[in-house]
Amino acid sequence: MSKTQKKEKDTIYATLPKVLTGITGLDEITGGGLPQGRPTLICGEAGSGKTLMSIEFIVRGAVTYNEPGVFVAFEEKSDELAMNVASLGFDLKRLQEEKKIKIDHVHIDRSEIEETGEYDLEGLFIRLGYAIDSIGAKRVVLDTLENLFSGLDNLAVLRTELRRLFSWLKGKGVTAIITGERGDGSLTRQGLEEYVSDCVILLDNRVVNQITTRRLRIIKYRGTVHGTNEYPFLIDEDGISVLPVTSLKMANKVSTGRISTGVKALDGMLGGQGLYQGGSVLVSGTAGTGKTSLAASFANETCNRKERCIYFAMEESPSQIIRNMNSIGLNLQQHVDNGYLIFNASRPNLYGLEMHLVAMHKIIKKHKPTVVIIDPITNFINIGSVSEVKNMLVRIIDFLQEEQISVMFTALSLNNIVNEQTDEGVSSLVDAWILVRDIEFNGERNRGLYVMKSRGMKHSNQVREFVITGEGLDMIDVFLGPDGILTGSARDQQMLLEKTGEAIRTSAVGRKDREILRKRQVLEAKIASLNSEFESVEEELNKVYLEEELKKQILDKSREEVTRMRRGEHAEPPKTSRKK
């Protein structure tokens, strides 16, 4: 290897310096903000949010990063601009009084511009330079570029002036944003600005099925790696929020901690400890099976632990949910008053899928809950296809897993189309799937609950009867009768029949036991009588034996006496006792 090649190999080049915009999500997508000291082009159609994004760039820089900024408007006057952004919480008049920003309106009249081939921007440079020096500006915005060059038709002159403008901004060392209207078939009307800009950001405002969705895409960014996907962004009272969830990877840490579902019997079906903390669970079933009640119990248990829960309601208002849950013994209003339970109720048709995603992302980032409930996800099918809804839910699950937030989805099962979305689409994404279904028998409708899956834990495979009472939710062991599983009054009737049969069997067994006892007593009496008779016979036999033995003894004695007498021996006189 030559010395020249070795020197080139050992050379370490400095990375591109960047300036944080302060816009939520945009700095993450750009990998640290906009290129410092270089111009950035923000282009898009009317109403896409170019002016709002550029003014927020100026305001966030002045307030958050102590970098004063100059905003040069070629369309709106200073008072009009201040009024337009006041709804976002930006007080431009106060910031101008504090010398943190400077807003300058430059009027361009096309009739006063004559194309002579020597179009001069010196007047703008002098004016802009004075504004920058007066407050020590680090950031500059030119809004919009079309008005500045509206009198030029010569592309060669236009290109030259654009290069002069961009070179002048680089020479001042300011980080600049230049906005431009999108052209027909090109990013800008002139089709030249994107070539001389170091960073180009495209804003888009789409309307699909009468629903508006704003998207952002980085077309190019010289000298750095950046996100290349389309990202939805939201404009609300807090400014612009960009959601960079499409860049998330499956490298999240998981927790082994467990949290209760709020139903003790259901916790028992999930290994006795409930769900994994930071996991996801789907509760699906037909209408009226108690999905919202399960979700509300989960929220109530979370708030009882003094943890925050966000409840995204897609069908009912918070007042309806609170009222309905009072009937099963859940007082959710106290948790709302304490700030532990936060409701966010909206119809799915309010936004597109991407905008719902951005809104949820923003609320979760703001309140930092430990549990999120979305009830139900089925309604999203009205504003998107099954695949689009699934992609949205994947992003939500990935984001919540990264934040270690537990989430419960509820899904309504109606027909095959929705089942494909809720069962085939969502069930494969979640960690646990609980199914609640109707059990119709004996002229009545009851609820059955079972755990379809629960990753990483031992769980019950039994079908349990799901009971909703005035004191909460409970699970009852189902009863297996002659014709299958019985619930409700059919179970009670069968249990009564079995109890009656048991009582009859017990009574019959008692009678048999008493009869056996009587027979045993009679038999024992007979045995006692026979024993007595045997003892009498035995005693009689013993008496004869004793008499014979006595006779033998007397006979033997007599024989001895006779023998002694024959020998002449005198018999010993019998001994007599001496009388006192």
Side-chain angles (χ1 to χ4, degrees):
M1 182 182 294
S2 63
K3 294 183 179 180
T4 304
Q5 291 176 337
K6 183 177 181 181
K7 184 177 180 180
E8 290 178 354
K9 184 178 179 180
D10 295 340
T11 301
I12 300 177
Y13 296 96
T15 58
L16 179 68
K18 298 181 180 181
V19 173
L20 294 173
T21 63
I23 298 174
T24 304
L26 182 58
D27 292 330
E28 182 177 348
I29 296 171
T30 55
L34 303 181
Q36 183 177 3
R38 298 187 183 187
T40 295
L41 173 65
I42 297 180
C43 54
E45 298 175 350
S48 58
K50 301 182 299 298
T51 301
L52 289 178
M53 182 169 288
S54 57
I55 195 65
E56 185 168 354
F57 169 73
I58 292 293
V59 173
R60 301 294 183 196
V63 175
T64 307
Y65 305 110
N66 195 27
E67 294 184 357
V70 174
F71 190 96
V72 179
F74 299 109
E75 289 183 344
E76 298 175 284
K77 295 182 179 180
S78 177
D79 293 340
E80 294 175 347
L81 188 63
M83 185 179 299
N84 293 340
V85 300
S87 60
L88 304 180
F90 301 154
D91 190 351
L92 299 186
K93 292 185 178 180
R94 180 180 60 82
L95 293 174
Q96 289 186 87
E97 293 173 355
E98 296 175 354
K99 303 297 183 182
K100 292 184 177 181
I101 68 171
K102 185 175 181 61
I103 300 177
D104 191 7
H105 172 69
V106 178
H107 176 69
I108 303 294
D109 191 350
R110 182 171 183 174
S111 62
E112 297 177 0
I113 300 177
E114 294 182 0
E115 185 176 347
T116 62
E118 296 181 357
Y119 186 75
D120 194 1
L121 291 178
E122 290 299 329
L124 175 63
F125 294 159
I126 294 173
R127 189 167 179 174
L128 185 56
Y130 173 77
I132 293 173
D133 296 337
S134 64
I135 61 172
K138 301 294 183 182
R139 305 186 180 199
V140 172
V141 170
L142 301 181
D143 183 46
T144 64
L145 201 59
E146 283 73 24
N147 291 334
L148 182 61
F149 297 110
S150 60
L152 284 177
D153 294 328
N154 190 317
L155 293 180
V157 175
L158 179 60
R159 181 182 291 271
T160 301
E161 294 303 318
L162 277 174
R163 290 188 179 278
R164 283 187 63 201
L165 175 61
F166 281 42
S167 297
W168 185 89
L169 291 172
K170 288 183 179 179
K172 293 295 291 185
V174 294
T175 304
I177 285 182
I178 300 171
T179 65
E181 295 288 341
R182 189 168 186 177
D184 186 11
S186 60
L187 294 178
T188 57
R189 291 184 181 179
Q190 282 78 21
L192 299 174
E193 297 92 326
E194 58 266 32
Y195 296 103
V196 295
S197 302
D198 292 273
C199 178
V200 179
I201 299 175
L202 175 64
L203 304 184
D204 187 19
N205 189 14
R206 301 178 189 176
V207 179
V208 180
N209 295 330
Q210 301 179 352
I211 298 175
T212 300
T213 301
R214 290 185 169 91
R215 300 174 186 267
L216 177 149
R217 182 163 67 98
I218 301 176
I219 302 299
K220 77 172 185 179
Y221 198 150
R222 290 172 179 164
T224 184
V225 178
H226 58 85
T228 58
N229 296 324
E230 281 191 333
Y231 304 94
F233 70 94
L234 177 68
I235 300 177
D236 58 10
E237 65 277 2
D238 296 323
I240 294 177
S241 299
V242 186
L243 185 60
V245 290
T246 51
S247 62
L248 293 178
K249 299 180 181 179
M250 291 190 295
N252 303 320
K253 296 181 179 180
V254 296
S255 172
T256 57
R258 305 285 278 272
I259 56 175
S260 172
T261 61
V263 182
K264 186 176 180 180
L266 181 56
D267 292 340
M269 297 178 69
L270 295 169
Q273 297 176 300
L275 302 167
Y276 278 123
Q277 186 176 1
S280 55
V281 57
L282 169 68
V283 179
S284 62
T286 56
T289 50
K291 300 180 298 297
T292 299
S293 299
L294 280 171
S297 296
F298 190 34
N300 181 70
E301 182 66 19
T302 302
C303 297
N304 286 338
R305 297 194 303 266
K306 307 299 181 182
E307 298 175 2
R308 187 164 293 168
C309 173
I310 297 181
Y311 195 117
F312 292 98
M314 301 298 171
E315 283 186 340
E316 299 175 279
S317 67
S319 299
Q320 285 179 295
I321 296 175
I322 292 172
R323 180 201 63 188
N324 296 342
M325 293 306 107
N326 282 333
S327 64
I328 63 173
L330 298 180
N331 184 5
L332 300 182
Q333 185 62 50
Q334 63 176 347
H335 302 312
V336 175
D337 297 338
N338 295 332
Y340 291 116
L341 181 59
I342 300 171
F343 279 99
N344 184 275
S346 62
R347 293 291 183 186
N349 294 337
L350 179 63
Y351 303 123
L353 291 175
E354 299 286 0
M355 299 305 290
H356 276 290
L357 188 61
V358 176
M360 290 178 181
H361 183 278
K362 182 178 179 181
I363 294 173
I364 292 170
K365 279 287 190 181
K366 179 179 179 181
H367 296 288
K368 301 184 183 303
T370 58
V371 169
V372 168
I373 295 172
I374 303 179
D375 176 36
I377 59 174
T378 318
N379 287 13
F380 288 123
I381 199 68
N382 297 326
I383 56 176
S385 64
V386 173
S387 60
E388 290 174 340
V389 173
K390 182 176 180 179
N391 289 335
M392 171 195 173
L393 295 175
V394 168
R395 296 180 182 185
I396 292 178
I397 292 174
D398 286 344
F399 166 64
L400 295 176
Q401 283 182 347
E402 184 183 32
E403 300 292 329
Q404 282 294 293
I405 298 174
S406 304
V407 58
M408 175 179 283
F409 303 105
T410 67
L412 176 66
S413 300
L414 288 175
N415 49 47
N416 291 334
I417 296 177
V418 178
N419 282 339
E420 180 184 358
Q421 176 214 348
T422 57
D423 296 347
E424 298 179 8
V426 181
S427 59
S428 62
L429 305 176
V430 296
D431 298 316
W433 182 13
I434 299 172
L435 184 61
V436 188
R437 63 184 179 91
D438 292 324
I439 300 177
E440 296 184 6
F441 185 78
N442 199 30
E444 65 180 12
R445 173 177 171 267
N446 295 289
R447 304 173 180 90
L449 182 147
Y450 55 96
V451 180
M452 288 289 291
K453 75 170 186 178
S454 186
R455 293 171 178 162
M457 71 176 70
K458 183 179 179 181
H459 60 276
S460 172
N461 62 351
Q462 300 295 316
V463 179
R464 305 284 297 277
E465 184 176 355
F466 179 39
V467 181
I468 302 177
T469 68
E471 298 178 355
L473 310 180
D474 197 7
M475 309 289 170
I476 300 177
D477 290 334
V478 294
F479 191 85
L480 187 61
D483 299 326
I485 295 176
L486 300 179
T487 59
S489 61
R491 181 195 65 242
D492 296 338
Q493 181 179 2
Q494 184 65 27
M495 291 178 66
L496 181 60
L497 289 175
E498 292 197 359
K499 287 182 179 179
T500 303
E502 183 66 24
I504 293 174
R505 286 193 297 272
T506 302
S507 177
V509 170
R511 289 197 304 271
K512 291 181 180 179
D513 289 343
R514 290 191 295 273
E515 183 67 23
I516 291 172
L517 179 61
R518 286 194 295 271
K519 289 184 178 182
R520 179 184 291 112
Q521 291 174 349
V522 171
L523 182 58
E524 289 176 350
K526 289 182 178 181
I527 293 173
S529 176
L530 290 174
N531 286 333
S532 178
E533 183 178 354
F534 174 76
E535 290 175 354
S536 298
V537 173
E538 185 180 26
E539 184 177 359
E540 186 67 25
L541 292 175
N542 289 335
K543 180 180 178 182
V544 173
Y545 174 77
L546 292 174
E547 289 178 350
E548 291 293 333
E549 184 68 24
L550 182 60
K551 288 179 179 180
K552 182 180 179 182
Q553 291 177 359
I554 295 173
L555 182 61
D556 291 342
K557 188 174 182 181
S558 298
R559 187 180 292 115
E560 290 178 356
E561 287 292 334
V562 171
T563 301
R564 194 178 294 114
M565 290 174 63
R566 286 178 179 179
R567 292 176 179 176
E569 297 178 358
H570 297 282
E572 293 181 0
K575 295 179 180 180
T576 57
S577 59
R578 184 180 297 178
K579 294 183 181 180
K580 292 181 180 180

